[in-house]
Amino acid sequence: MGTDNKKTAADTTGRIRLENKERIIKAAEKIFAKNGFRGATTADIAAAAELPKANIHYYFGTKEDLYRAVLDEIVALWVSSFREIKHDDDPASTLADYIRAKMELSKNRPHASRVFANELIRGAPRMKDYLEGALKEWVEEKAGIMDQWIEEGRMAPVNTRTLIFHIWAMTQTWADFEVQWTAILGTGDHLGDAEYEEATNAIISMVLRSCGLIPVPPRMTETEMKLTV
Amino acid sequence: MGTDNKKTAADTTGRIRLENKERIIKAAEKIFAKNGFRGATTADIAAAAELPKANIHYYFGTKEDLYRAVLDEIVALWVSSFREIKHDDDPASTLADYIRAKMELSKNRPHASRVFANELIRGAPRMKDYLEGALKEWVEEKAGIMDQWIEEGRMAPVNTRTLIFHIWAMTQTWADFEVQWTAILGTGDHLGDAEYEEATNAIISMVLRSCGLIPVPPRMTETEMKLTV
DNA sequence: ACGAATATTGATCATTTGGTCAAACCAAAA
DNA sequence: TTTTGGTTTGACCAAATGATCAATATTCGT
């Protein structure tokens, strides 16, 4: 009555509108992941969404707008995966949990991971703000806490920013370059739970060992040790 | 006289032809790296090569042919970086050398690295043969040698195939996602020698430590150790 | 059931894009 | 110099592509 709640087409959140937008974003994510922004066509996206091409433009004005919407969803996904780290958390389990969360993302949302990778490869023209803002802050904060851990002797000294980058690299590679791994491992045409499990454990072991958080398993024969030097 | 050495336009290797083909491939590498196969336009490539568009089609029939030529050069580059590994080589220095070689490639040929990454993200439709053939063989051979090292107690037991993948992931990330790192580290708009040096050492330390090939530096204060458990 | 708001869609348009072609150009062998 | 075979280039074309629109259909509050 007294409240001014007139709706415009743009920000209306009706049932049909929400459903269709989500459906289109999901389809767009797949197509953008495969062909990048310039390589993706609105016709392909429409086909993937099983809708007429005109609908895509009805819900998202331009291809550019749609792409931004996809990126927004992905950034939200990324941000939500950043669990809080507190200073008195246990370094080993904190790192292990984070690696597990990242690998879950790679396994469950490979398209999102690839859209992100595509955007980065091209120089992130639409994400510079995010990278230099929120993401940088996140890294600074987390690296800062880890640096404290090191100062307090709770983990071995390493460059913590570089460590974070390498964790990202190893976890993302299983989504972005899946074909490479399936081709070389010879596991059908996509990675199964077993491969992800194995990879996750390998990354956790590697990171924790190199930070002195778990012991490195002994070499097998002690008599051969002198050959190493 | 007696020899049949007629030339066809396709396989002639005249001075001008060679120069122009190389010039076009270099330009194409840059454009394909940024926009992927479908996103790259022959007009952009021609502009980057500072030649009329028709020349591109004169030397390479179709965009597809040009792309394959670029991929061929990249594969050749990759293959040439695969140094021989022999069974009696020293594990630590062999791994370190390989990581250094890969990082050199990332630093010196970032465009090539990104074209490769683009192709993999999209499912490697034109490189399946290479991945399942030569590259797989290379991995099998190298992983086999490393498995022997493990059996002989010359390094700690790890999944060697997975280790190779993670080395690729960490070394490629510095080329493919350069913007991400520059944005977060705040180092102008591209990585300098110092960053590459630091990253290279970090990867080497991480890999060698996790394989028990160099000791993990001790944590700093021994009195705080009980907090960890 | 009615009407206003929202959603659907085929037809259509201007631009971009990969590719062609013929005429002009040039290097170098004869 | 002349000839020959490769090279250069602007003009051009058909197909693909992002985007628009008007006509039609559906939804939903009242």
Side-chain angles (χ1 to χ4, degrees):
Chain A
M1 304 276 173
T3 62
D4 176 15
N5 60 348
K6 77 172 59 166
K7 308 175 182 182
T8 67
D11 57 12
T12 299
T13 53
R15 199 192 91 251
I16 296 177
R17 191 169 191 83
L18 273 183
E19 280 178 12
N20 280 332
K21 287 190 83 166
E22 193 53 32
R23 176 183 199 150
I24 293 169
I25 284 186
K26 280 275 132 47
E29 189 177 284
K30 193 186 294 188
I31 303 299
F32 282 133
K34 196 158 201 170
N35 295 318
F37 174 71
R38 291 190 53 173
T41 71
T42 54
D44 281 349
I45 293 170
E50 295 177 289
L51 288 172
K53 196 177 63 164
N55 285 34
I56 272 73
H57 287 98
Y58 173 68
Y59 285 109
F60 303 87
T62 67
K63 182 175 144 183
E64 172 82 30
D65 293 337
L66 173 55
Y67 184 66
R68 291 202 120 94
V70 171
L71 283 186
D72 283 348
E73 245 209 21
I74 291 171
V75 167
L77 196 68
W78 249 240
V79 169
S80 77
S81 85
F82 291 159
R83 201 174 62 84
E84 276 306 304
I85 300 184
K86 286 187 292 288
H87 169 255
D88 16 76
D89 284 341
D90 172 53
S93 59
T94 301
L95 284 169
D97 284 351
Y98 181 59
I99 292 168
R100 262 187 225 103
K102 270 264 155 198
M103 283 297 271
E104 285 291 311
L105 261 189
S106 280
K107 189 172 78 175
N108 298 331
R109 299 293 295 273
H111 295 317
S113 183
R114 287 179 196 138
V115 172
F116 194 77
N118 258 317
E119 180 66 14
L120 290 182
I121 285 179
R122 110 178 355 156
R126 299 161 175 95
M127 294 190 86
K128 272 268 175 65
D129 290 349
Y130 169 62
L131 296 181
E132 292 171 349
L135 192 58
K136 180 177 175 144
E137 269 174 44
W138 185 90
V139 169
E140 290 305 325
E141 187 203 330
K142 268 56 182 176
I145 292 177
M146 291 169 72
D147 285 339
Q148 283 189 314
W149 290 346
I150 291 173
E151 266 180 54
E152 295 167 5
R154 295 166 67 190
M155 61 179 268
V158 298
N159 183 320
T160 52
R161 282 158 194 79
T162 308
L163 178 65
I164 290 173
F165 293 173
H166 288 151
I167 289 175
W168 288 350
M170 288 188 281
T171 51
Q172 282 240 160
T173 200
W174 292 96
D176 299 346
F177 305 145
E178 190 180 25
V179 269
Q180 182 165 224
W181 313 142
T182 56
I184 289 174
L185 294 173
T187 55
D189 67 344
H190 95 118
L191 297 169
D193 289 347
E195 282 82 20
Y196 270 100
E197 185 72 18
E198 143 75 27
T200 304
N201 290 332
I203 299 172
I204 292 175
S205 296
M206 193 165 177
V207 169
L208 295 191
R209 284 179 189 178
S210 76
C211 293
L213 294 170
I214 57 173
V216 178
R219 305 172 185 185
M220 287 183 162
T221 63
E222 292 298 298
T223 55
E224 308 280 339
M225 291 289 277
K226 48 183 127 61
L227 288 176
T228 313
V229 183
Chain B
M1 303 266 174
T3 62
D4 177 14
N5 63 347
K6 75 170 62 164
K7 309 174 183 181
T8 66
D11 58 13
T12 299
T13 53
R15 199 193 90 250
I16 297 176
R17 191 171 192 82
L18 273 183
E19 282 178 10
N20 281 332
K21 288 189 81 167
E22 194 53 31
R23 177 184 199 147
I24 293 169
I25 284 186
K26 279 276 132 47
E29 190 177 283
K30 193 187 294 188
I31 303 298
F32 282 133
K34 196 159 200 170
N35 296 318
F37 175 71
R38 291 191 56 174
T41 70
T42 54
D44 281 348
I45 294 171
E50 294 177 290
L51 286 173
K53 195 177 65 165
N55 285 33
I56 272 71
H57 288 98
Y58 173 68
Y59 285 109
F60 303 86
T62 67
K63 180 175 144 182
E64 172 83 29
D65 293 337
L66 173 56
Y67 185 65
R68 291 203 120 92
V70 171
L71 283 186
D72 283 348
E73 247 209 19
I74 291 172
V75 168
L77 195 69
W78 249 240
V79 169
S80 76
S81 85
F82 292 159
R83 200 174 62 84
E84 276 306 305
I85 299 185
K86 286 187 293 286
H87 168 256
D88 17 75
D89 285 340
D90 172 54
S93 59
T94 301
L95 283 169
D97 284 351
Y98 181 58
I99 292 168
R100 263 187 224 102
K102 271 263 153 200
M103 282 297 271
E104 284 291 311
L105 261 188
S106 280
K107 188 172 77 174
N108 298 329
R109 298 296 295 272
H111 296 317
S113 183
R114 287 177 197 141
V115 172
F116 194 77
N118 259 316
E119 180 66 14
L120 290 182
I121 286 179
R122 111 181 351 155
R126 301 154 231 259
M127 295 190 86
K128 273 269 174 66
D129 290 349
Y130 169 63
L131 297 181
E132 292 171 349
L135 192 59
K136 180 178 174 144
E137 268 173 45
W138 185 90
V139 170
E140 290 304 326
E141 187 203 329
K142 269 54 182 176
I145 292 176
M146 291 169 71
D147 286 338
Q148 283 189 314
W149 290 346
I150 291 173
E151 265 181 53
E152 294 166 6
R154 295 167 66 191
M155 61 180 267
V158 297
N159 182 323
T160 51
R161 282 159 193 77
T162 308
L163 177 65
I164 291 173
F165 293 173
H166 288 151
I167 290 174
W168 286 351
M170 287 189 282
T171 51
Q172 283 241 160
T173 200
W174 291 96
D176 299 346
F177 305 145
E178 189 180 26
V179 269
Q180 181 165 223
W181 313 142
T182 56
I184 289 174
L185 294 175
T187 55
D189 68 343
H190 95 118
L191 298 169
D193 289 347
E195 283 81 20
Y196 271 100
E197 185 71 18
E198 144 75 27
T200 304
N201 290 332
I203 298 172
I204 292 175
S205 296
M206 194 166 177
V207 169
L208 296 191
R209 284 178 189 179
S210 76
C211 292
L213 294 171
I214 56 173
V216 177
R219 305 173 184 185
M220 288 183 164
T221 64
E222 293 297 298
T223 55
E224 307 280 338
M225 292 290 278
K226 49 182 125 58
L227 288 177
T228 315
V229 182

